[in-house]
Amino acid sequence: MADLLTDSQFLEYKELIYKSSGITFSDTNRSILDSRLKERLREKQIADVEEYYKLITSNQEEMKLFLDSITTNLTRFFRNQPHFDTLINYVIPHVLENKKKTGNTKIKIWSAGCSTGEEPYTIAMLLKDKLPSPYTFEIKASDISLKSLLVGKQGFYHNNKISGIPENYLERFFTKSSDGYQVKPELMSTIRFDYHNLAYDSGVRDLDIVFCRNVLIYFDEAAQKNTIDKFWASMAKKSYLFIGHSESLFGMDTKFKFLKTNWACIYEKDDN
């Protein structure tokens, strides 16, 4: 089957996607771009890729939908358990230690690239269960996929999506229905789902914890550094960064310190 895009058109789209999001397409994943583009052309009833290019460069909403269509959203509850063991057994105790010095009782967390919400809801369940009084938390959950964000905002997960959630958490934080589970309002209220493109500054500051797992793999080195530098600017002087277990900041010019805990390897900002 012939490619939808000519080589010059592929280069044109590739550069636009990179400039708009930091996501990198190579010859090896060109077929993914081709198939997702065909879907958008069919949906918009546009026959010509040049015409669609003009549309996305002049219409911000369509550009968002296009970027949404080319992203892959693979996630599940309690994905990579050692990260959550590290969160509860190492990171939270250290964050609370710092909070005691300032008198601040709110922990600020960002789940960047949150997909359909399983990661931020996992964090919220753990903190609701483990965080001592009087401490509270708020989670900013963001993604470039509007469809995924809608799932997270609705907080409803079909039966095949809830594997990995401990039984006591299912009973405490979800309402069972015939075809799935609805997150209860007390948990939903701790998370704010919002569209955000990691190529740009979020405007958020003083975050204690950032999760950005399995996102950097879609970026080249320059886009990775741009994202990591923006995380640094958004985080508190003493704070913690989680990235995917197959991702690394090794060789990158960054101020984050590599931190090996008993459970997993993460990164620390210590700017005191």
Side-chain angles (χ1 to χ4, degrees), residues 121-137:
Y121 282 124
T122 298
I123 297 166
M125 283 188 276
L126 286 167
L127 294 190
K128 274 281 188 185
D129 187 32
K130 308 288 188 186
L131 200 61
S133 179
Y135 296 98
T136 59
F137 66 93

Side-chain angles (χ1 to χ4, degrees), residues 169-202:
Y169 282 9
L170 265 182
E171 290 175 11
R172 179 176 170 186
F173 298 117
F174 293 80
T175 303
K176 176 81 174 83
S177 69
S178 59
D179 57 346
Y181 290 80
Q182 175 64 50
V183 181
K184 289 182 179 178
E186 66 155 312
L187 201 69
M188 293 183 78
S189 66
T190 64
I191 303 171
R192 181 168 53 86
F193 287 94
D194 200 9
Y195 176 88
H196 180 66
N197 184 331
L198 289 173
Y200 304 99
D201 186 359
S202 66

Side-chain angles (χ1 to χ4, degrees), residues 84-100 107 127 130-132 135 209 240 263:
F84 298 112
D85 293 337
T86 302
L87 174 69
I88 293 305
N89 296 310
Y90 183 93
V91 171
I92 292 300
H94 281 79
V95 168
L96 294 185
E97 209 174 286
N98 293 325
K99 296 286 179 188
K100 282 172 190 169
I107 297 173
L127 294 190
K130 308 288 188 186
L131 200 61
Y135 296 98
I209 302 163
Y240 300 89
W263 304 270

Side-chain angles (χ1 to χ4, degrees), residues 41-219:
L41 291 175
R42 194 161 49 242
E43 197 160 316
K44 297 301 290 183
Q45 297 184 320
I46 294 173
D48 182 56
V49 291
E50 291 292 347
E51 186 185 340
Y52 187 69
Y53 184 89
K54 286 175 188 169
L55 175 63
I56 57 177
T57 50
S58 61
N59 185 313
Q60 196 175 10
E61 285 310 305
E62 183 57 32
M63 173 59 96
K64 283 183 181 180
L65 291 171
F66 174 58
L67 291 175
D68 185 341
S69 74
I70 63 170
T71 55
T72 306
N73 296 291
L74 297 172
T75 187
R76 64 178 184 272
F77 288 100
F78 290 88
R79 185 181 187 186
N80 193 2
Q81 181 65 43
H83 273 167
F84 298 112
D85 293 337
T86 302
L87 174 69
I88 293 305
N89 296 310
Y90 183 93
V91 171
I92 292 300
H94 281 79
V95 168
L96 294 185
E97 209 174 286
N98 293 325
K99 296 286 179 188
K100 282 172 190 169
K101 295 172 188 171
T102 63
N104 182 353
T105 58
K106 179 165 278 187
I107 297 173
K108 294 172 70 177
I109 301 162
W110 183 9
S111 170
C114 69
S115 187
T116 44
E118 285 89 337
E119 178 180 270
Y121 282 124
T122 298
I123 297 166
M125 283 188 276
L126 286 167
L127 294 190
K128 274 281 188 185
D129 187 32
K130 308 288 188 186
L131 200 61
S133 179
Y135 296 98
T136 59
F137 66 93
E138 61 180 29
I139 301 173
K140 168 188 168 70
S142 71
D143 204 274
I144 203 170
S145 168
L146 296 166
K147 288 198 294 277
S148 296
L149 286 170
L150 187 59
V151 174
K153 279 181 181 175
Q154 290 172 337
F156 180 81
Y157 297 92
H158 290 286
N159 292 321
N160 64 339
K161 296 290 186 183
I162 53 89
S163 63
I165 304 175
E167 196 61 42
N168 61 320
Y169 282 9
L170 265 182
E171 290 175 11
R172 179 176 170 186
F173 298 117
F174 293 80
T175 303
K176 176 81 174 83
S177 69
S178 59
D179 57 346
Y181 290 80
Q182 175 64 50
V183 181
K184 289 182 179 178
E186 66 155 312
L187 201 69
M188 293 183 78
S189 66
T190 64
I191 303 171
R192 181 168 53 86
F193 287 94
D194 200 9
Y195 176 88
H196 180 66
N197 184 331
L198 289 173
Y200 304 99
D201 186 359
S202 66
V204 180
R205 294 295 181 267
D206 295 321
L207 291 158
D208 298 296
I209 302 163
V210 172
F211 276 75
C212 182
R213 304 189 300 167
N214 308 306
V215 175
L216 297 177
I217 50 173
Y218 296 103
F219 299 166

